[in-house]
Amino acid sequence: VLFLSKLNSTDFWSIVILMEKLEKPTPPGGKRIYMDHAATTYLDERVKDAMEPYWIEKFGNPSALYKEGREARQALENARVDIASEIGARAEEITFTNGGTESDNLAIFGVAYTLKKNVGKNSDGVSLPHIITTKFEHHAVLSPCEFLEKNGFDVDYLEVGEDGIVNPKDVEKALRPETILVSIMLANNEVGTIQPIAEIGKILKNHKTLFHTDACQGAGYLNLNVEKMGVDLMTLNGSKMYGPKGIGLLYAKRGIKLEPMLRGGQQERRMRPGTENVPGIVGLAEALKNAQAEKDEESARVAELRDYFIKRITDEIPKVFLNGHPQKRLPNNINVSILGVEGEAVILYLDEYGIACSTGSACTSESFEPSHVILALGKPRAYAHGSVRFTLGKRNTKEDIDYTVETLKSVVEKLRSISAVSV
């Protein structure tokens, strides 16, 4: 509806009439086909079972000294130990938050406001703490950086290649004596490209700057060992790996001091005050354990489906182009630009056919701006407006893909028939 409201009245009613006339076949098995696992995942039954006792039976406040509180505290600390073990860290290096966005903010603002006083004068005699990131980070990183830029910090937003990979040499060239932080995501949330984090980590090892990575998208498919990656801070959340929503964590290497964003309690070593979400934390630990144990097998399975999907849509639908590197991408990610259509219209049509996917375009934006990620790849705005993302998960099958491809072919043909844009 938000998308349709942006159109003129002729286009609006053309699309409405077409949608009403759709013959809507039933997806395989009569189920809806969910292909937006980069947005969120369902809760794994094993995770649900692990969380269950902490809703009603073991409901105590972890800060309390009596039995109920001690039970909750034990569960919380056991989860912290388990998570640390999965990522090659120490338990005291894990801080629990309410999700990936808060963890990213805590990392960036925490470092910025702690280290800004340690930055000396630059060549112009001005003290400007310096941060390096890329143009196609998640807004949970870009927005804090933009805020800091308006408040006395200098930020470099590095370009990425046409394949969606940042060049480690560009990171090295951007380093300055006053650089306090580099923040580059492990895998992009829109196009799925996997960044050379370990290579960048080796470069930064010889510099005093801290290195943060948002690893939320990679948890179910990539190795998260913080030592091997060479990162000082890492963000994870539960909702991208079949865990609960509203829970995340920030790994911060021992010795790193972060200015907290919240005040008012002793919890999480005063880094994140407030009564801890024990069921969520327990679920996060279980989800991470499962994801890391099963990542190799699941990665191989979905990568085969991904490649089959990409080949079919690029071969069978004219003017469809893959965004991002064809191999160095998450095994479940398919992001394509379909020229001659708006991505939001494709999403609405596919939803009517029982298929859930997403688009990079900001359809809720007042300015209706296209995906900043696609534009960062150097693609024209038409590619960004026509971008559609399919991200596969554990329940997706080859039958799902065959149905989706056939449906997409029909939808694109219909939309192009009423489009004023020539392809």
Side-chain angles (χ1 to χ4, degrees):
V1 171
L2 285 172
F3 163 71
L4 293 176
S5 68
K6 309 280 185 181
L7 303 177
N8 62 46
S9 59
T10 302
D11 288 340
F12 177 91
W13 289 112
S14 294
I15 291 179
V16 169
I17 291 168
L18 276 175
M19 292 183 74
E20 288 178 348
K21 291 182 177 180
L22 287 178
E23 293 183 8
K24 300 172 187 175
T26 304
K31 63 177 183 179
R32 280 185 60 82
I33 296 174
Y34 184 77
M35 292 186 175
D36 198 20
H37 293 82
T40 195
T41 53
Y42 63 85
L43 190 69
D44 188 297
E45 286 288 344
R46 295 168 293 179
V47 176
K48 179 174 178 289
D49 290 344
M51 296 170 65
E52 195 65 40
Y54 301 95
W55 294 115
I56 297 175
E57 298 169 21
K58 301 179 180 181
F59 59 88
N61 187 319
S63 297
L65 298 178
Y66 43 76
K67 180 182 177 182
E68 288 84 355
R70 295 196 304 271
E71 286 179 339
R73 170 60 60 182
Q74 188 64 55
L76 188 155
E77 297 306 332
N78 287 346
R80 201 188 308 272
V81 169
D82 290 346
I83 287 170
S85 176
E86 292 294 337
I87 65 173
R90 300 177 178 89
E92 64 267 26
E93 296 173 323
I94 306 300
T95 298
F96 293 114
T97 67
N98 76 350
T101 297
E102 184 186 344
S103 293
D104 283 342
N105 275 253
L106 177 57
I108 294 167
F109 286 125
V111 168
Y113 288 121
T114 298
L115 297 184
K116 68 175 182 177
K117 58 182 177 292
N118 298 331
V119 176
K121 305 290 183 180
N122 64 13
S123 58
D124 298 322
V126 179
S127 177
L128 284 179
H130 180 233
I131 296 171
I132 298 171
T133 187
T134 76
K135 288 187 175 181
F136 84 156
E137 296 297 307
H138 192 282
H139 285 295
V141 168
L142 290 178
S143 292
C145 287
E146 290 163 0
F147 177 87
L148 290 171
E149 197 173 17
K150 296 175 182 176
N151 290 274
F153 290 77
D154 195 6
V155 183
D156 272 336
Y157 301 92
L158 301 181
E159 303 280 354
V160 295
E162 293 180 359
D163 58 3
I165 308 292
V166 66
N167 188 336
K169 292 182 180 178
D170 290 342
V171 178
E172 188 170 22
K173 289 177 184 176
L175 288 168
R176 309 176 193 167
E178 59 269 24
T179 305
I180 59 173
L181 178 68
V182 174
S183 181
I184 297 174
M185 58 176 29
L186 176 59
N188 185 266
N189 54 298
E190 287 191 30
V191 298
T193 48
I194 300 169
Q195 303 304 320
I197 296 299
E199 190 175 346
I200 296 169
K202 288 179 182 178
I203 292 172
L204 297 179
K205 193 173 183 180
N206 299 320
H207 295 264
K208 292 182 179 180
T209 184
L210 297 177
F211 187 20
H212 166 251
T213 189
D214 181 330
C216 292
Q217 292 292 337
Y221 304 102
L222 305 177
N223 190 301
L224 300 177
N225 187 286
V226 293
E227 290 296 326
K228 291 181 179 179
M229 287 192 287
V231 298
D232 302 295
L233 303 111
M234 182 172 73
T235 294
L236 289 173
N237 70 357
S239 65
K240 304 297 190 291
M241 51 178 157
Y242 304 93
K245 299 174 181 63
I247 188 68
L249 67 88
L250 177 66
Y251 156 78
K253 192 172 184 177
R254 186 165 63 176
I256 294 176
K257 294 182 179 180
L258 299 175
E259 186 71 23
M261 295 194 302
L262 303 175
R263 311 280 177 173
Q266 307 292 319
Q267 295 89 348
E268 298 301 292
R269 305 175 311 285
R270 296 187 179 181
M271 288 299 304
R272 208 284 183 174
T275 302
E276 296 93 342
N277 176 4
V278 177
I281 290 168
V282 170
L284 177 62
E286 179 70 15
L288 180 61
K289 180 185 73 174
N290 295 338
Q292 289 293 286
E294 298 164 2
K295 68 180 187 303
D296 293 339
E297 181 179 354
E298 180 63 7
S299 291
R301 187 189 74 85
V302 295
E304 185 175 350
L305 294 176
R306 174 202 67 190
D307 294 342
Y308 173 70
F309 197 168
I310 292 171
K311 179 171 174 49
R312 283 208 62 187
I313 55 179
T314 54
D315 284 353
E316 298 176 30
I317 306 176
K319 301 293 184 179
V320 172
F321 302 94
L322 180 69
N323 293 314
H325 197 284
Q327 285 86 41
K328 295 178 182 178
R329 65 191 305 126
L330 290 172
N332 73 328
N333 179 287
I334 304 100
N335 186 301
V336 293
S337 287
I338 307 171
L339 300 190
V341 301
E342 289 283 354
E344 286 82 1
V346 174
I347 304 310
L348 291 170
Y349 266 95
L350 292 181
D351 183 42
E352 290 294 306
Y353 282 110
I355 302 164
C357 58
S358 64
T359 177
S361 299
C363 62
T364 58
S365 171
E366 287 299 318
S367 58
F368 196 39
E369 284 299 306
S371 164
H372 73 285
V373 170
I374 306 301
L375 295 178
L377 302 180
K379 300 289 183 71
R381 293 174 75 87
Y383 281 69
H385 277 299
S387 64
V388 179
R389 181 187 70 180
F390 301 89
T391 42
L392 309 179
K394 291 182 178 181
R395 292 174 177 169
N396 290 132
T397 64
K398 184 173 179 291
E399 290 73 25
D400 292 344
I401 290 173
D402 286 333
Y403 172 80
T404 300
V405 171
E406 293 302 321
T407 303
L408 184 62
K409 288 161 66 174
S410 175
V411 165
V412 170
E413 183 178 355
K414 286 183 173 69
L415 288 174
R416 283 177 175 167
S417 72
I418 63 168
S419 174
V421 179
S422 174
V423 294

